[in-house]
Amino acid sequence: EAQVTQNPRYLITVTGKKLTVTCSQNMNHEYMSWYRQDPGLGLRQIYYSMNVEVTDKGDVPEGYKVSRKEKRNFPLILESPSPNQTSLYFCASSKEMGRGGNQPQHFGDGTRLSIL
Amino acid sequence: AQSVTQLDSHVSVSEGTPVLLRCNYSSSYSPSLFWYVQHPNKGLQLLLKYTSAATLVKGINGFEAEFKKSETSFHLTKPSAHMSDAAEYFCVVSVRSGNTPLVFGKGTRLSVIA
């Protein structure tokens, strides 16, 4: 079954304790992306990757890191989490996302992070 | 700059009545446009997409949307609402410049009353 898998689904942690949210897709997609969803703000893009070893900042990259060493995996790293990063996070993937951007995104089920 | 505006943050309809969720976009180029649905505790699922072919696009679950260039709109409609349609809906526009390929609207929450 084609899917995007995020782990963990829920995490409560404390300020400053490094954490990683994993994302894996089994569709051989080139494009992967991370979003955060906050009430009243919709989805905002954190980072995206056009292919292996190619990553770019989205709208809200501060406080986050990503890496794309393999095509299927795109982990999101919070080196020193803070309470303002409490949010619902989504990973997504699609076929090659050229500048035309006409490929639909496949989303994971989300990771709810609470930073105390 | 490209942008997307969903004109209603919340829409409430009775079961069996038509649904209209409104979306206006701004783009310097011919855009690709999408509607996604999000059910509680789930990720977003593609409903339909417009990519410069037919202006009336049919999607899953009886939804459709019409691209109107003169009005810069891409409204989502369904003739008859079902209880299972209650969810959050997002209009998305692709862009051909800038840092991010996609721009999301803030979402419209659809409530369906029995």
Side-chain angles (χ1 to χ4, degrees):
Chain A
E1 179 189 350
Q3 58 186 9
V4 177
T5 304
Q6 296 178 227
N7 280 297
R9 292 291 313 278
Y10 304 91
L11 179 63
I12 301 174
T13 187
V14 296
T15 299
K17 185 176 181 182
K18 180 180 177 180
L19 68 90
T20 299
V21 185
T22 63
C23 174
S24 180
Q25 50 94 3
N26 63 359
M27 295 166 279
N28 201 35
H29 284 165
E30 289 82 11
Y31 181 87
M32 297 186 74
S33 180
W34 277 103
Y35 301 88
R36 60 178 289 173
Q37 184 178 23
D38 301 289
L41 297 178
L43 270 76
R44 294 178 292 168
Q45 192 172 46
I46 303 170
Y47 270 94
Y48 65 95
S49 169
M50 293 286 195
N51 214 323
V52 176
E53 302 290 3
V54 180
T55 62
D56 269 306
K57 296 177 181 178
D59 294 318
V60 288
E62 294 77 19
Y64 303 94
K65 284 176 57 177
V66 293
S67 67
R68 187 90 182 273
K69 293 182 169 51
E70 307 163 282
K71 198 171 188 179
R72 64 182 293 126
N73 295 323
F74 191 46
L76 179 70
I77 303 157
L78 285 70
E79 293 271 3
S80 183
S82 63
N84 65 12
Q85 292 177 298
T86 292
S87 188
L88 179 59
Y89 291 85
F90 287 100
C91 180
S93 75
S94 70
K95 290 183 179 180
E96 183 180 355
M97 181 68 77
R99 297 321 290 178
N102 62 0
Q103 298 296 332
Q105 300 278 291
H106 297 257
F107 285 83
D109 283 340
T111 295
R112 189 169 290 281
L113 286 184
S114 293
I115 315 295
L116 305 177
Chain B
Q2 284 77 7
S3 67
V4 143
T5 303
Q6 292 185 240
L7 296 162
D8 306 290
S9 60
H10 182 211
V11 170
S12 184
V13 300
S14 297
E15 190 175 21
T17 64
V19 175
L20 170 63
L21 304 183
R22 299 181 294 166
C23 173
N24 285 356
Y25 70 92
S26 171
S27 175
S28 302
Y29 306 93
S30 296
S32 293
L33 294 157
F34 307 83
W35 274 100
Y36 287 85
V37 60
Q38 183 183 26
H39 289 96
N41 298 315
K42 286 292 187 181
L44 281 70
Q45 179 187 13
L46 180 71
L47 272 179
L48 49 82
K49 70 174 185 177
Y50 165 77
T51 56
S52 76
T55 55
L56 182 62
V57 182
K58 293 188 184 300
I60 62 172
N61 300 335
F63 284 94
E64 61 182 39
E66 186 172 8
F67 174 71
K68 292 186 176 180
K69 187 175 181 179
S70 60
E71 299 176 10
T72 61
S73 69
F74 190 57
H75 301 336
L76 182 70
T77 60
K78 183 174 180 177
S80 176
H82 192 272
M83 295 298 290
S84 60
D85 295 327
E88 187 97 15
Y89 291 79
F90 293 93
C91 183
V92 182
V93 63
S94 72
V95 300
R96 293 174 184 251
S97 64
N99 290 332
T100 57
L102 297 174
V103 177
F104 284 74
K106 289 183 167 50
T108 298
R109 182 164 61 90
L110 176 65
S111 297
V112 181
I113 304 165

